[in-house]
Every structure is written in structure tokens, then in C-alpha cells.
Amino acid sequence: QVQLVESGGGLVQPGGSLRLSCAASGSTAKITSMGWYRQTPGKERELVATATSGGTTTYGDSVKGRFTISRDNAKNTAYLQMNSLKPEDTAVYYCKAVGRHYVNVEGAYVDRDYWGQGTQVTISS
């Protein structure tokens, strides 16, 4: 099992910045990908940003150019720097990690998704 602990949410005015952190712990699984998704009431959870252990990043269209995801692989921690925040960025932000569990010495593995408990981000004046 992988446990994810998120921090950094809160209330900020439009145009402001926030930095979210997500730390993974508790398993010998290799964390291959970490990222952030967000959800508002009545809507599906949507991609914000992901980053692989190799450094490949992906962003949702609505946050490109404003948000930056980074990782500290040694600490199994991901960060989301959010700049130029807008009221429509208001949501619960969830951290997701993909843990790779090797099942035999030949290298067969199973990837499992793990989710954090979510942190509220509110953009309002």
C-alpha cells in the first residue's frame, strides 16, 4: 500500500499563487507517476498535471502556462506550483500516484493507482 499526504491548499485571491505538496510513503512499490486531479461538485474529476519518474509532464489545457508540476524522486514527493489563479480553479485537488508492484524475479509487475484525501483550493476575493 501507498499512503499519500497532501498539503498546501487554502484560500487565495484571484491572480495569486499556491503550492501543493504530495508525499508518498508506506510501500516498496516504485512510484512511476505522480500527479494532481481536481473536482468540483457535480463534475467529473479532471486532470491538472502529472509527472513521471523520468521527468515527462502532462498538463490539462486549462492550466497550461500557469501551473508547474515537479517531483523529488528521492523523497517520492510531487509539487504543484499554481500561479495566476482564477476563480474557476476552485476545486478539491487530489494527488494520485501510480505504484508499480513487481510480482516475480522476471520483472512482471502490476500498476495500482493510489489517491490522497484531497485538499481544498478556493480562489475568491
Side-chain angles (χ1 to χ4, degrees), residues 10-79:
L11 170 66
V12 68
Q13 292 185 341
S17 298
L18 278 175
R19 187 186 192 221
L20 305 183
S21 299
C22 174
S25 64
S27 172
T28 56
K30 174 182 173 62
I31 304 299
T32 57
S33 173
M34 295 186 74
W36 295 91
Y37 292 72
R38 66 187 182 187
Q39 190 170 23
T40 55
K43 294 188 178 181
E44 293 186 357
R45 195 169 293 187
E46 66 171 358
L47 167 71
V48 177
T50 63
T52 68
S53 55
T56 300
T57 58
T58 303
Y59 293 93
D61 289 340
S62 61
V63 306
K64 286 179 181 177
R66 299 187 298 122
F67 291 11
T68 302
I69 188 169
S70 60
R71 283 185 61 174
D72 184 335
N73 290 330
K75 296 181 179 179
N76 274 334
T77 300
Y79 306 95

Side-chain angles (χ1 to χ4, degrees), residues 70-92:
S70 60
R71 283 185 61 174
D72 184 335
N73 290 330
K75 296 181 179 179
N76 274 334
T77 300
Y79 306 95
L80 183 69
Q81 179 66 43
M82 304 186 292
N83 298 328
S84 302
L85 284 162
K86 305 175 182 179
E88 51 264 43
D89 293 319
T90 296
V92 177

